[in-house]
Amino acid sequence: MLDQTLTEQAAALRRGDYSATELTAAYLARIGARNAALNAFVTVTAGAAGQAAAAADAALAGGDAGPLAGIPIAHKDIFCTDGVRTSCASRMLDNFIAPYDATVVQRLAAAGAVMLGKTNMDEFAMGSSNETSFYGPVRNPWDLDRVPGGSSGGSAAAVAAGLCSAATGTDTGGSIRQPAALTGICGLKPTYGRVSRYGMVAFASSLDQAGPMARSAADMALLLQAMAGFDEHDSTSIDRPVPDYSAALEAPLTGLRIGLPAEYFNAGLDAAVGAAVRAALAELERLGARLVDITLPHTALSVPAYYVVAPAEASSNLARYDGVRYGYRADNPADLTDLYKRSRSEGFGAEVKRRILIGTYVLSAGYYDAYYLKAQRVRRLIREDFLGAFGQVDVIAAPTTPQPAFRLGEKQHDPVAMYLSDIYTIAANLAGLPALSVPCGLVQGLPVGLQLIGRDFDEARLLNVAHRYQQVTDWHMRRAPEA
């Protein structure tokens, strides 16, 4: 049963092939056997999972079960969970017990999903390798000496290693799509505002977006259906009807125009990764799609613009962790100033401090116009590039990452090299557009991803293209080798 996709498990539970209690117990046993090597989970909620599974079994027997009844999932440890630690993988929040559920958590539970626990991540979602966690790095199931990507690396590794049916993630500059690509699973970043951010610990508020990570496009459609929709608790939530994502999966691709941006197939792309992506594009062409060469001229400015905007918002959001109102407090402070200084110095890790310092600098008097305001203008140009391209094409296709998973420690001391890991994913966040990654090949035994970017609120079309691709390929069914 653990080799099945979420969609297959949901059907099996309804047929009575096995119970939610049996499925949950099987995953908990696998977590017990594999998590020490992977470090994917930071908290396992076995007791609560058992109770939720029993409730799901009762609902299935009573005929009033939700669409995800009995499906065991994991939540990235950035989502508040009532009565369960929400650490954001930081010493600063190591002892924080959330008093309520994030909207995403609440909606998935209402659909019947069973929470197995909370997954590891880069501290406060700042990282591209999952090496900045206070609880240590996550390891890639395909090669334990390599990173799973970040910041949702724990969620990605948990799904790829079969420790849960699916998981939630957040994507600020590619943190769902990049780890999905590096671990051979599927990940979707919805349109900004499509999924509520209420109860999600903020990193960069104008960029953060929650989304699903799973085995297949059909799985992601089921999960997004439960997660999406207006939330009055989130001022950035969009009040717009949610379509039936599963119903749109089977639409034919005949005549679909897929744009290939020249800037995403450049010299920085690993040749083997590029070949795998082009092979996937050829499959889409055989399904009836038409490939169109396009250009997104401001793409090269996306990484520098992102690393002004995101740290600026992070420095503001993380100002609340001062040892007084929230988070870790230093022992025996000499005075109030010492309390502030040592609480933040001891509570935050190096990457978080680096981004707070960058953000404070670019927002400071005398530099605001030169950096932050200019970055926001660049952001507008990047979005206008996409809007112009969508006048010619329906979907944009590109690699998700420039190379397969790199080795642990390989880029940890070179922040610029690390930041370039997200070079193909950041622009969609700056533009607020939906984008997903699906597995499209193996390079030296490691997974690579095909990225699809869509118009605002066009998640249904992205899922449709990904699903039709997965009907004629089996890359999403490949499993990481057991260690």
Side-chain angles (χ1 to χ4, degrees):
M1 66 184 93
L2 301 190
D3 287 333
Q4 294 178 314
T5 66
L6 182 159
T7 308
E8 292 168 341
Q9 289 172 342
L13 286 166
R14 279 168 167 72
R15 288 194 304 267
D17 294 352
Y18 46 77
S19 70
T21 299
E22 291 171 327
L23 183 60
T24 297
Y27 275 121
L28 289 171
R30 190 163 173 80
I31 292 170
R34 296 275 285 146
N35 195 51
L38 296 167
N39 199 24
F41 278 82
V42 293
T43 302
V44 178
T45 54
Q51 293 173 11
D57 281 331
L60 287 162
D64 59 347
L68 297 175
I71 298 296
I73 66 168
H75 288 297
K76 185 177 181 179
D77 205 22
I78 199 169
F79 293 99
C80 285
T81 41
D82 189 4
V84 178
R85 183 177 65 167
T86 298
S87 71
C88 245
S90 175
R91 187 184 190 188
M92 185 61 79
L93 291 176
D94 181 46
N95 62 354
F96 174 58
I97 306 296
Y100 69 102
D101 280 334
T103 296
V104 164
V105 173
Q106 185 273 325
R107 288 182 174 174
L108 287 169
V114 174
M115 184 179 82
L116 295 174
K118 310 290 287 292
T119 55
N120 206 347
M121 54 182 282
D122 278 307
E123 184 180 10
F124 280 102
M126 298 181 194
S128 302
S129 64
N130 221 132
E131 293 175 286
T132 70
S133 168
F134 176 61
Y135 307 109
V138 176
R139 294 176 181 271
N140 193 320
W142 290 82
D143 181 343
L144 296 180
D145 292 329
R146 295 180 185 269
V147 304
S151 63
S152 307
S155 292
V159 175
L163 306 189
C164 55
S165 303
T168 55
T170 61
D171 194 315
T172 304
S175 289
I176 287 176
R177 290 161 287 156
Q178 187 247 21
L182 299 191
T183 59
I185 66 166
C186 306
L188 168 64
K189 183 201 87 68
T191 309
Y192 184 76
R194 177 79 286 183
V195 174
S196 171
R197 294 170 46 249
Y198 179 71
M200 198 173 92
V201 179
F203 159 21
S205 301
S206 74
L207 300 163
D208 298 340
Q209 184 59 196
M213 306 177 79
R215 289 283 189 197
S216 70
D219 292 357
M220 292 197 295
L222 277 174
L223 290 161
L224 183 62
Q225 199 74 48
M227 297 167 70
F230 177 67
D231 179 11
E232 63 181 9
H233 296 298
D234 177 4
S235 62
T236 61
S237 177
I238 305 296
D239 190 0
R240 182 171 175 144
V242 178
D244 186 338
Y245 296 114
S246 295
L249 291 175
E250 301 293 342
L253 302 188
T254 307
L256 183 82
R257 300 166 299 169
I258 299 178
L260 310 183
E263 294 79 4
Y264 286 64
F265 294 87
N266 53 24
L269 176 63
D270 179 278
V273 172
V277 171
R278 290 195 178 279
L281 295 170
E283 288 289 350
L284 294 173
E285 204 169 19
R286 281 191 278 275
L287 289 169
R290 183 161 61 89
L291 306 182
V292 181
D293 290 327
I294 61 170
T295 182
L296 300 169
H298 295 96
T299 297
L301 300 177
S302 59
V303 172
Y306 175 86
Y307 281 100
V308 172
V309 174
E313 296 185 11
S315 72
S316 176
N317 278 324
L318 271 60
R320 73 191 70 177
Y321 304 107
D322 56 10
V324 177
R325 293 170 295 176
Y326 295 98
Y328 171 84
R329 176 176 294 187
D331 292 332
N332 305 314
D335 52 31
L336 187 60
T337 300
D338 185 47
L339 172 65
Y340 286 153
K341 283 184 177 178
R342 286 205 292 115
S343 294
R344 289 171 67 78
S345 177
E346 295 169 12
F348 289 133
E351 181 61 29
V352 173
K353 290 176 189 171
R354 179 184 292 120
R355 298 198 192 194
I356 289 174
L357 289 172
I358 293 171
T360 304
Y361 179 79
V362 301
L363 288 176
S364 61
Y367 296 102
Y368 179 90
D369 288 354
Y371 293 103
Y372 186 72
L373 191 60
K374 187 174 290 184
Q376 292 289 22
R377 287 172 175 159
V378 170
R379 184 178 185 176
R380 166 58 64 179
L381 293 173
I382 290 169
R383 179 167 170 80
E384 289 175 353
D385 282 351
F386 279 109
L387 297 182
F390 283 125
Q392 309 170 53
V393 299
D394 305 300
V395 171
I396 293 172
T400 309
T401 63
Q403 63 183 67
F406 45 91
R407 294 189 181 280
L408 286 158
E410 184 178 329
K411 298 182 180 181
Q412 204 166 8
H413 302 292
D414 186 346
V416 174
M418 185 71 81
Y419 295 165
L420 290 173
S421 301
D422 295 334
I423 192 168
Y424 297 143
T425 54
I426 280 174
N429 295 79
L430 289 169
L433 298 169
L436 61 74
S437 178
V438 293
C440 70
L442 295 174
V443 171
Q444 297 179 340
L446 298 168
V448 296
L450 167 69
Q451 181 178 204
L452 301 172
I453 305 171
R455 297 187 178 99
D456 292 327
F457 300 100
D458 206 8
E459 289 86 358
R461 189 188 299 270
L462 297 183
L463 291 165
N464 162 228
V465 177
H467 178 69
R468 294 305 300 261
Y469 172 70
Q470 291 182 339
Q471 286 180 315
V472 295
T473 61
D474 67 349
W475 297 113
H476 63 296
M477 299 304 292
R478 306 287 180 97
R479 299 291 183 261
E482 295 284 343

